[in-house]
Amino acid sequence: MSTDALSITDKRNDRTYEVPIQKGAIRAMDLRKIKTGADDFGLMTYDPAFLNTASCQSSITFIDGDKGILRYRGYPIEQLAENCSFLEVAYLLLNGDLPTTSQLDEWVDSVTHHTMLHETTKTFLEGFRYDAHPMGMFISTVAALSTVYPEARNVLDPEIRAKQIVRLVSKVPTIAAYTYRHSRGLPYIYPDNSLTYTENFMNMLWRMMEHQYRSHPMLARALDILFILHADHEQNCSTNVMRAIGSAQADPFVSVAGAAAALSGPLHGGANEEVLRMLDEIGTQANIPAYIEKVKAGHCKLMGFGHRVYKNYDPRARIIKWTADRVFEVTGRNSKLEIALELERIALEDEYFIKRRLYPNVDFYSGIIYQALGFRPEMFTVLFAIPRTVGWLAQWQEMITDPEQKIARPRQIYTGHMQRDFVPIEQRTGVSVSA
Ligand code: COA
């Protein structure tokens, strides 16, 4: 028997099977041969919420949740955050290697020259109510771009794919900024090609009557770092959605819109908005112990704490904490930071959080920085979606070019009625509908 194999004995019929182990995994399809008879479908695995299922092989992002390690294409996140611009990291994620100077210049030039939106897309945005949530506007407008670039549906053509990737990376900050301007009733600001990616984003958000908007270099750099930290996180909920929609060969605009919809949930990208609401609710440091008791009693969750993969300090949270200090040197300290620091201190010493290995995640401090930078909580998830678009696209491209991938289609364990005969309406007794 091979040593890299799993020996399985089926106690139903005492038959033994050998299943190869590759890269620490067995292939679920190898279990199909385990059956009790010719009519038996074969064994499946049952894994709601994909707790222990690898859906792909990927060379993009590595996470060791127990050790608190995050690497993009092999480079530690700490080194990338310290030394790179966001677009440099975007190039790395999308192409597999850090760019040379000429490659970076070409990439930055290309992204810079695709930031404009078609005027009809601006009109489309006008249709939203004044109080529409920016994430709803973002999702819908990204999806609407699919109608502007119908050739995008040729997803198997590498040149067309590359063009849509540039378009999406370039245009998501413009859409994001316009959702903000719309909600404030302000005129839209066209992109400024003389600015960097984040400076231009800040320009489109906040320029008023001045000739040219100049962001504070430290604040622009802080946003750039936040974008780097949020760019990819392997097979998270929204990336899984991106791959699933993309596996049906839908175009990348609607696929990114679907992924962004998943991101908008409070358990995923919406968590940073919830963290700020929670800090507001807590109000003062004196109220922290009572709030922790509420969490422990199961009445609510400590937002920004816990992670499906990290059972250690999220390495992004550490960099964000460092960035927060730099930002507050410019903007002045924020009382919410004091509450967050104290909340973290108390939680990390509490048996409930220690036992469950719950640590601050990326969302715990990011909202506080976003607020210090001048963003309203409604914009936080949009700020997450801008850089994560790069990760979604890198993962989508990898999926499309992976010969092993097919349309994503999980199995189920059916628990309903097997078969029953139709009952005419006058003979039905009705069912009690429970919520
Ligand atoms: N506050 C309080 N308890 C928490 C918690 C939190 N933030 N996160 C997890 N727990 C508890 C669960 O209640 C559960 O306790 P139990 O074993 O007594 O039932 C245990 O820790 C395991 O959590 P579980 O829900 O199984 O983990 P998960 O991997 O399914 O969920 C998250 C991961 C991220 C969805 C979850 O930690 C969470 O909801 N966090 C808050 C939202 C958030 O910050 N999301 C951003 C993620 S980057």
Side-chain angles (χ1 to χ4, degrees):
M1 196 212 300
S2 157
T3 47
D4 287 340
L6 184 70
S7 182
I8 302 173
T9 303
D10 187 345
K11 290 287 180 196
R12 295 172 298 179
N13 52 18
D14 273 334
R15 285 171 69 174
T16 297
Y17 303 83
E18 193 172 304
V19 178
I21 299 175
Q22 287 167 345
K23 299 177 186 161
I26 59 164
R27 285 187 177 258
M29 279 305 285
D30 282 344
L31 301 179
R32 192 66 78 72
K33 63 187 177 199
I34 302 178
K35 30 171 102 181
T36 48
D39 289 345
D40 188 347
F41 178 75
L43 210 61
M44 291 189 294
T45 55
Y46 175 55
D47 188 10
F50 308 122
L51 291 173
N52 196 34
T53 294
S55 63
C56 63
Q57 301 198 37
S58 179
S59 61
I60 301 172
T61 292
F62 173 80
I63 301 176
D64 184 327
D66 283 330
K67 297 197 182 111
I69 292 173
L70 170 62
R71 297 183 194 128
Y72 294 161
R73 303 280 190 187
Y75 294 103
I77 191 69
E78 294 80 2
Q79 292 182 21
L80 296 172
E82 190 180 339
N83 298 299
C84 293
S85 68
F86 168 68
L87 282 186
E88 210 174 342
V89 171
Y91 185 99
L92 169 72
L93 285 166
L94 289 161
N95 299 292
D97 269 313
L98 284 166
T100 61
T101 306
S102 62
Q103 285 170 332
L104 182 61
D105 288 348
E106 201 184 313
W107 165 241
V108 171
D109 187 72
S110 194
V111 170
T112 305
H113 287 91
H114 284 85
T115 46
M116 295 275 287
L117 295 184
H118 194 283
E119 289 296 302
T120 56
T121 307
K122 270 172 55 184
T123 318
F124 176 83
L125 267 159
E126 285 299 328
F128 288 104
R129 279 173 56 117
Y130 69 97
D131 59 352
H133 194 289
M135 201 53 192
M137 290 193 264
F138 180 86
I139 293 164
S140 316
T141 311
V142 171
L145 286 187
S146 156
T147 64
V148 183
Y149 306 108
E151 79 272 19
R153 68 174 64 111
N154 299 313
V155 295
L156 300 182
D157 182 324
E159 265 180 48
I160 291 186
R161 266 203 317 268
K163 192 154 191 191
Q164 312 321 311
I165 288 175
V166 171
R167 282 181 170 144
L168 270 157
V169 175
S170 311
K171 293 181 200 306
V172 284
T174 315
I175 295 174
Y178 285 11
T179 66
Y180 170 75
R181 303 287 294 199
H182 178 78
S183 64
R184 301 307 299 260
L186 296 168
Y188 303 132
I189 303 293
Y190 286 110
D192 180 339
N193 289 353
S194 69
L195 301 174
T196 68
Y197 192 77
T198 33
E199 285 169 352
N200 176 48
F201 176 48
M202 293 164 105
N203 158 65
M204 291 187 291
L205 285 164
W206 292 316
R207 191 176 136 208
M208 296 304 280
M209 304 312 286
E210 61 270 44
H211 177 59
Q212 199 181 33
Y213 181 83
R214 285 265 165 247
S215 50
H216 190 289
M218 185 58 233
L219 302 187
R221 178 64 188 141
L223 195 55
D224 215 50
I225 291 174
L226 285 164
F227 279 2
I228 291 170
L229 301 182
H230 285 87
D232 193 54
H233 213 229
E234 53 117 303
Q235 307 312 313
N236 56 89
C237 177
S238 56
T239 300
N240 183 53
V241 170
M242 179 79 195
R243 280 181 173 261
I245 301 178
S247 77
Q249 296 185 359
D251 77 53
F253 295 101
V254 292
S255 303
V256 166
L263 187 74
S264 71
L267 297 189
H268 191 7
N272 50 18
E273 194 176 329
E274 298 301 322
V275 171
L276 266 238
R277 288 192 213 294
M278 176 185 77
L279 295 176
D280 275 338
E281 190 189 330
I282 295 174
T284 66
Q285 293 193 29
N287 295 333
I288 293 174
Y291 195 85
I292 296 266
E293 287 312 311
K294 242 171 73 177
V295 170
K296 285 160 62 177
H299 298 313
C300 57
K301 280 191 167 169
L302 190 56
M303 297 313 286
F305 257 69
H307 199 275
R308 171 62 59 80
V309 177
Y310 292 118
K311 302 301 170 197
N312 199 327
Y313 212 98
D314 183 334
R316 301 167 301 172
R318 195 167 278 125
I319 302 169
I320 288 185
K321 226 168 142 179
W322 177 88
T323 311
D325 281 337
R326 307 286 91 70
V327 167
F328 289 126
E329 280 167 16
V330 178
T331 63
R333 241 172 138 79
N334 177 325
S335 65
K336 287 205 179 71
L337 179 68
E338 310 300 341
I339 299 175
L341 286 168
E342 184 61 5
L343 193 55
E344 177 190 329
R345 192 191 63 74
I346 294 178
L348 291 183
E349 286 175 1
D350 191 293
E351 186 55 28
Y352 176 96
F353 297 90
I354 295 169
K355 202 171 118 205
R356 291 170 179 78
R357 304 179 72 188
L358 300 170
Y359 293 87
N361 60 47
V362 68
D363 294 309
F364 192 65
Y365 288 106
S366 61
I368 302 174
I369 304 190
Y370 289 148
Q371 199 177 49
L373 290 174
F375 293 102
R376 297 190 302 169
E378 297 78 44
M379 279 299 288
F380 292 176
T381 317
V382 176
L383 294 170
F384 192 157
I386 295 171
R388 184 54 61 86
T389 297
V390 166
W392 291 329
L393 290 168
Q395 301 271 350
W396 168 73
Q397 166 110 311
E398 189 178 65
M399 183 272 306
I400 291 273
T401 53
D402 180 347
E404 275 204 311
Q405 290 291 342
K406 291 171 182 285
I407 185 165
R409 204 319 186 167
R411 292 275 169 186
Q412 65 167 11
I413 296 172
Y414 179 68
T415 60
H417 295 281
M418 244 11 244
Q419 187 180 335
R420 41 186 185 163
D421 289 328
F422 175 78
V423 181
I425 196 161
E426 58 281 5
Q427 293 173 21
R428 294 177 207 161
T429 52
V431 285
S432 55
V433 182
S434 52

